[in-house]
Amino acid sequence: RSGVYNFCTSLKSSLPGGTYYTPADASSTVHGSMYGRQLYTRLNDHVSQYMIQVAEKSREFSGDDLLSFYNREWIKYGDAAKTIHHIFDYLNRHWIQREQDEGNNVCDINTLMFRLWRNNFFMDVRNSLLESVFSLMKRIRDGQVADLNLVKSVVDSFVSLGSDDMASGSKKMEVYDSYFLKPFIEGSRQYYEAECERVLKEGSIRNYMIWVFDRLKEEDDRAEMYLHESSLREFGDALNKVLIGKQRASLISEFKPMLQAREKDDLARLYELLKRLGETAGLEPLRDTFRSFVEDAGLEAVKKVCGEQEAAEGNANKSRLFVQALLSVHELYSGILHDSFKDDPGLSKALDHACQKFINENEMCAGKDNNAARLLANYCDTLLRKGNATARAAGEAGASSEDNLEKQLTQAICVYRYLKEQDVFQVAYGRFFARRLVNEQSVSSHGEEMMISLLKEVSGMDFTSRLSRMFSDITVSKEMSER
């Protein structure tokens, strides 16, 4: 470092050919400019010659051996570049800085080192290097054992080399994008096009779906290890287009049969795959199918209950069968929504639309007096009125009667949320509620308070405040009469 300083500031220094240069004016900066350029040029020439020798040596290797050789040389060169940049610190801060300020095409020593690696070695070996990378990746994709770290080291060098022309305004990732990413994506596309054709010939679209799901998971995990983070999306989109996009229609056609068979694992795989295509291309068709399928299932469940009602006696049993039919459909597909679709907002909205449709517009609610609101109010009355143990017996085995009642009331509120005529329910429920209180037929005070609290969460204070006052007045009156 001091040697560089002395060379750049000396008044008398040896020039090529054994001559000497001595500036006329010792205070002039001409000698500093002269010696700075001479030092810069000599370093450039020396490193260039060294890199040419390394390039010649690399021709002795191929495949994984070439990748290993390249990585070893890259590590050594990187360490040397740091050291040389440090040694030439004075040149960087003075002569190079002055040249750059004057608009001359001169870069700092660290950038010069990487530029020389690129021009004298990398450009010579890049095609063989990429062939070796593609060969190694193919073996990994085919299930063979190979060292992925070799690819990672090479890719890291591509990223570092991308900064060598920043002074001229080029993109930082130019080398990585042009010489690695684009060829790698194209090679991956060709590989998987051939693999897709093979898998589809050997098995069904369902087997293909499972194979694609596993392959994409492997590719995602590997890409996180060796690709630059800025290119993960581009690489993933390219694979999605080949592996999913081209078979999109066939994959979507499997959705309804999976719903019919309630195959939660396959539904989860299909959802994850189509989600990769985006909202419009991937998930929107699933939401439309899910909505219509759940709606049909709900209407069929109510139709079945209508047949059973012929043998049922009393409004209590009819309303119980009706509400339980609605809940069975809602709970089934809510479970699929949670387990297979991760509570996807769009599919959740599709479920809500379907439930609102079959709950309010079904065979059993054709008449004015048999709408869903009145049937639900009647069902709640059977739960909260004494003498209806059968209606409350459907809770979980081993749970207390209070726990079972709370669960059933919560389920009733689930149906209430979908009612179009909530005001009709409120009138009917208020009438049933008053009758229970006046006739002292409530199964428990806790149950009445619990229902009021649940209704308050959905409908607010306007409706429930009247119920609360009524309940409070009856309670106070009862206490006073008992004194």
Side-chain angles (χ1 to χ4, degrees):
R1 191 172 183 178
S2 60
V4 173
Y5 174 81
N6 293 334
F7 184 88
C8 292
T9 58
S10 62
L11 297 180
K12 185 176 182 180
S13 184
S14 175
L15 295 177
T19 61
Y20 289 88
Y21 169 77
T22 303
D25 184 0
S27 63
S28 174
T29 60
V30 174
H31 67 284
S33 176
M34 183 73 169
Y35 298 151
R37 180 168 297 282
Q38 182 184 4
L39 190 60
Y40 187 85
T41 301
R42 287 186 176 182
L43 176 64
N44 181 88
D45 294 344
H46 177 78
V47 175
S48 295
Q49 288 299 318
Y50 172 79
M51 293 314 305
I52 291 172
Q53 295 174 10
V54 172
E56 292 176 352
K57 179 69 174 177
S58 70
R59 297 187 181 96
E60 301 175 7
F61 304 96
S62 62
D64 290 5
D65 292 337
L66 175 60
L67 297 178
S68 297
F69 173 80
Y70 181 90
N71 287 329
R72 287 196 304 270
E73 292 298 324
W74 172 256
I75 293 172
K76 287 194 302 182
Y77 190 82
D79 292 340
K82 291 178 183 177
T83 302
I84 293 173
H85 182 78
H86 181 69
I87 292 173
F88 283 77
D89 180 66
Y90 181 83
L91 192 68
N92 279 323
R93 289 188 291 111
H94 293 276
W95 181 79
I96 292 177
Q97 183 63 53
R98 187 166 57 250
E99 290 291 307
Q100 291 177 341
D101 291 343
E102 293 174 0
N104 296 324
N105 186 23
V106 174
C107 58
D108 64 82
I109 298 301
N110 187 64
T111 302
L112 174 67
M113 295 295 288
F114 286 113
R115 179 177 292 177
L116 294 174
W117 172 280
R118 174 183 176 175
N119 295 341
N120 295 290
F121 178 37
F122 172 79
M123 297 302 290
D124 183 71
V125 77
R126 70 179 191 278
N127 290 333
S128 300
L129 202 62
L130 286 174
E131 289 176 5
S132 300
V133 169
F134 295 160
S135 175
L136 185 147
M137 289 303 302
K138 184 178 185 304
R139 297 202 309 274
I140 292 177
R141 287 167 172 167
D142 290 343
Q144 301 178 34
V145 178
D147 187 1
L148 190 61
N149 288 323
L150 291 176
V151 177
K152 175 174 173 51
S153 298
V154 170
V155 172
D156 288 345
S157 76
F158 280 52
V159 173
S160 298
L161 289 173
S163 62
D164 66 344
D165 279 338
M166 286 181 66
S168 61
S170 63
K171 294 191 304 180
K172 183 176 181 180
M173 304 292 289
E174 179 190 5
V175 173
Y176 174 80
D177 289 342
S178 300
Y179 297 112
F180 176 77
L181 184 60
K182 286 182 173 59
F184 181 72
I185 288 178
E186 177 60 21
S188 299
R189 184 187 64 78
Q190 293 177 3
Y191 172 84
Y192 276 115
E193 282 181 345
E195 283 293 285
C196 288
E197 185 177 351
R198 178 186 64 80
V199 174
L200 287 169
K201 285 182 179 179
E202 294 177 356
S204 64
I205 187 65
R206 191 73 65 91
N207 292 333
Y208 174 82
M209 180 191 72
I210 296 173
W211 174 80
V212 169
F213 183 85
D214 293 339
R215 272 306 180 95
L216 285 174
K217 179 67 169 61
E218 293 171 2
E219 288 290 346
D220 288 344
D221 292 341
R222 283 195 294 263
E224 291 280 353
M225 293 178 60
Y226 66 85
L227 289 183
H228 190 269
E229 60 182 8
S230 65
S231 59
L232 292 176
R233 178 68 178 272
E234 184 178 353
F235 176 66
D237 288 346
L239 293 186
N240 293 339
K241 185 176 181 180
V242 174
L243 294 171
I244 307 172
K246 291 189 175 182
Q247 301 301 324
R248 171 179 169 273
S250 298
L251 290 169
I252 291 175
S253 69
E254 292 294 309
F255 185 53
K256 189 172 182 178
M258 291 179 191
L259 285 173
Q260 292 171 333
R262 302 175 188 175
E263 297 170 321
K264 289 188 175 183
D265 290 341
D266 282 347
L267 285 169
R269 291 189 187 95
L270 182 61
Y271 167 76
E272 290 295 336
L273 291 179
L274 292 175
K275 183 180 178 182
R276 297 173 72 109
L277 295 181
E279 294 287 321
T280 302
L283 294 182
E284 199 60 41
L286 294 191
R287 292 164 183 163
D288 293 339
T289 302
F290 188 58
R291 181 176 61 251
S292 62
F293 185 88
V294 174
E295 183 180 325
D296 291 343
L299 293 173
E300 184 62 30
V302 175
K303 183 178 180 180
K304 184 178 178 181
V305 166
C306 287
E308 295 176 359
Q309 281 190 343
E310 298 299 328
E313 295 182 0
N315 290 332
N317 285 332
K318 290 180 180 180
S319 62
R320 177 176 57 83
L321 291 173
F322 173 71
V323 174
Q324 288 178 349
L326 302 180
L327 289 171
S328 65
V329 176
H330 181 270
E331 289 178 0
L332 171 61
Y333 294 104
S334 291
I336 291 176
L337 175 68
H338 176 74
D339 297 338
S340 300
F341 306 144
K342 298 181 178 178
D343 293 318
D344 176 84
L347 287 163
S348 179
K349 187 176 181 180
L351 175 64
D352 290 341
H353 285 169
C355 289
Q356 188 177 58
K357 182 76 173 178
F358 74 74
I359 285 175
N360 293 280
E361 303 173 25
N362 54 70
E363 187 173 327
M364 193 168 174
C365 297
K368 183 178 180 180
D369 295 332
N370 280 334
N371 63 28
R374 288 188 173 87
L375 289 169
L376 180 62
N378 193 285
Y379 172 73
C380 293
D381 183 55
T382 62
L383 294 178
L384 292 166
R385 183 163 38 87
K386 291 179 180 179
N388 291 298
T390 302
R392 294 187 296 273
E396 296 180 2
S400 68
S401 58
E402 289 290 345
D403 290 340
N404 283 337
L405 178 59
E406 181 176 357
K407 178 183 177 182
Q408 289 173 307
L409 292 176
T410 301
Q411 291 173 332
I413 291 298
C414 178
V415 177
Y416 174 72
R417 292 177 185 274
Y418 293 113
L419 291 179
K420 289 183 177 179
E421 300 178 311
Q422 291 187 355
D423 57 333
V424 175
F425 170 88
Q426 292 171 6
V427 171
Y429 182 83
R431 187 169 60 250
F432 285 129
F433 176 72
R435 186 185 303 167
R436 288 195 303 274
L437 294 184
V438 170
N439 297 327
E440 296 184 357
Q441 290 183 323
S442 293
V443 69
S444 72
S445 297
H446 176 69
E448 298 289 1
E449 291 176 324
M450 185 191 312
M451 187 61 178
I452 293 174
S453 177
L454 292 171
L455 286 169
K456 182 179 177 181
E457 292 178 7
V458 180
S459 300
M461 290 290 294
D462 291 343
F463 167 53
T464 57
S465 59
R466 181 170 59 86
L467 300 179
S468 297
R469 286 195 303 270
M470 192 185 307
F471 182 77
S472 177
D473 291 344
I474 293 293
T475 303
V476 171
S477 177
K478 182 177 180 182
E479 291 176 350
M480 292 181 64
S481 63
E482 290 176 351
R483 289 178 182 178

